[in-house]
Amino acid sequence: MLFKIASIAALASSISAHMDITEPCSRFSPYCATRPPLPAGILDYDYSIDNPIPYNGSVFKSEIQWTKPVASWTAGQPVTIKFRPGGAAHSGGHCQFAISYDNGKTAAVVHKVMKHCFFNGPSNSNVADVLEYTFDLPADIPASSNAQFIWIWNNAIGNRELYTGIADITIANSGGSKSYTGKSAIYPNHEGYGSIPEFNGNYNTGLSLFENAPNVVVSPGSSAAPPPVPEYSSSAPQSSAEHNFEATATKNFAERNFYPLSEPIHTSTDSACTHGELQCISGNSGYRRCVWGVWNFIACGAGTACVQTSTNAIVCARV
């Protein structure tokens, strides 16, 4: 465990970003070559787009759509997904690629890269070997002018985290397909979906979660609730370091601009806490988050201060 923590600390000095999609352009990403104008009321791009998703709450950084689609795809034809270089790839892990027609409420997997996402095989590297994936869109995926592409990643090594991206797209299909049935997208390391342990060289870790995921039917205009989540096996972590989630600000763009949060700076067991609890600390120079009964203290970046927008939402806002 000491080696793992030391390794992550060393890597943090050279790689501060994580993996994120740039094609199609994830909502409000500042890193895409081309992107639509921001919607009314959205004041800035999301410069923490590559931060992990918090354990509870939404599985997406934003549920607000781009002002227009960022890609036009055709059923049965190849599509290419590209990632920004320079991000921490955490030795790979499991990636899902899915399509939704209801803003992510339901999503069917159309492609997946298990075990070695961003690599060509087992690796101890934090620098990705693979930055794009090309696959054929299913021929029976329905046409829509308002569809969403979703990318989901669970990393192989490091803190137990979840990364996602969502992009607004159009899909053409002259065949008249009305619906598509596939495995439901799942979000391990997020509340209700179970936890995937660190791989520690075993790249089969967590595969059963994806294999046992239920089928889901997606179609344009659908607003059906997602299928019940199977009873995945999971266990509470043995130490806070294993679940020391990097904080991600929940954003309310209509109010102010937000900046990425820094890494946790220390932990404390000075008082009991409930997992997921968030509190600004004295002076609002940062905040603390409860991770399995242990307070983790996170400092806000320079020029920002902690603001608690709701019981389960903390942001570091520019002052």
Side-chain angles (χ1 to χ4, degrees), residues 151-175:
W151 160 71
I152 307 162
W153 172 43
N154 294 106
N155 52 311
I157 66 167
N159 298 332
R160 300 297 77 214
E161 294 169 337
L162 168 71
Y163 298 84
T164 69
I166 182 168
D168 300 296
I169 63 171
T170 67
I171 299 175
N173 188 338
S174 59

Side-chain angles (χ1 to χ4, degrees), residues 23-218:
E23 190 176 314
C25 189
S26 194
R27 288 175 182 171
F28 313 143
S29 171
Y31 304 115
C32 306
T34 59
R35 53 186 183 266
L38 290 171
I42 304 300
L43 301 182
D44 203 357
Y45 293 98
D46 182 2
Y47 288 90
S48 63
I49 191 74
D50 53 8
N51 280 7
I53 300 297
Y55 176 73
N56 47 27
S58 175
V59 294
F60 304 116
K61 290 297 189 70
S62 177
E63 296 181 359
I64 301 174
Q65 294 179 283
W66 278 118
T67 51
K68 63 180 181 179
V70 296
S72 296
W73 292 351
T74 301
Q77 297 300 308
V79 296
T80 298
I81 312 303
K82 296 183 179 180
F83 295 85
R84 182 163 60 106
H90 292 290
S91 294
H94 306 316
C95 282
Q96 304 168 78
F97 304 88
I99 295 293
S100 174
Y101 297 94
D102 56 8
N103 208 22
K105 294 183 179 67
T106 55
V109 174
V110 294
H111 186 70
K112 59 185 179 181
V113 180
M114 298 285 100
K115 303 182 181 181
H116 311 300
C117 197
F118 307 121
F119 294 92
N120 295 308
S123 174
N124 291 321
S125 176
N126 208 31
V127 180
D129 292 333
V130 180
L131 289 174
E132 62 180 67
Y133 289 100
T134 298
F135 55 89
D136 289 342
L137 207 59
D140 55 343
I141 202 83
S144 175
S145 60
N146 184 23
Q148 295 81 43
F149 167 76
I150 295 168
W151 160 71
I152 307 162
W153 172 43
N154 294 106
N155 52 311
I157 66 167
N159 298 332
R160 300 297 77 214
E161 294 169 337
L162 168 71
Y163 298 84
T164 69
I166 182 168
D168 300 296
I169 63 171
T170 67
I171 299 175
N173 188 338
S174 59
S177 177
K178 300 299 183 183
S179 65
Y180 175 79
T181 301
K183 285 284 190 181
S184 176
I186 61 171
Y187 304 88
N189 299 341
H190 192 270
E191 187 174 27
Y193 286 91
S195 178
I196 297 179
E198 192 169 21
F199 289 15
N200 291 320
N202 179 9
Y203 283 85
N204 291 320
T205 301
L207 289 183
S208 62
L209 276 70
F210 305 94
E211 294 166 355
N212 294 332
N215 285 336
V216 63
V217 179
V218 294

Side-chain angles (χ1 to χ4, degrees), residues 260-280:
L261 304 177
S262 64
E263 299 285 336
I265 54 177
H266 67 279
T267 61
S268 172
T269 56
D270 59 354
S271 61
C273 59
T274 302
H275 181 65
E277 187 177 356
L278 294 166
Q279 294 179 358
C280 288

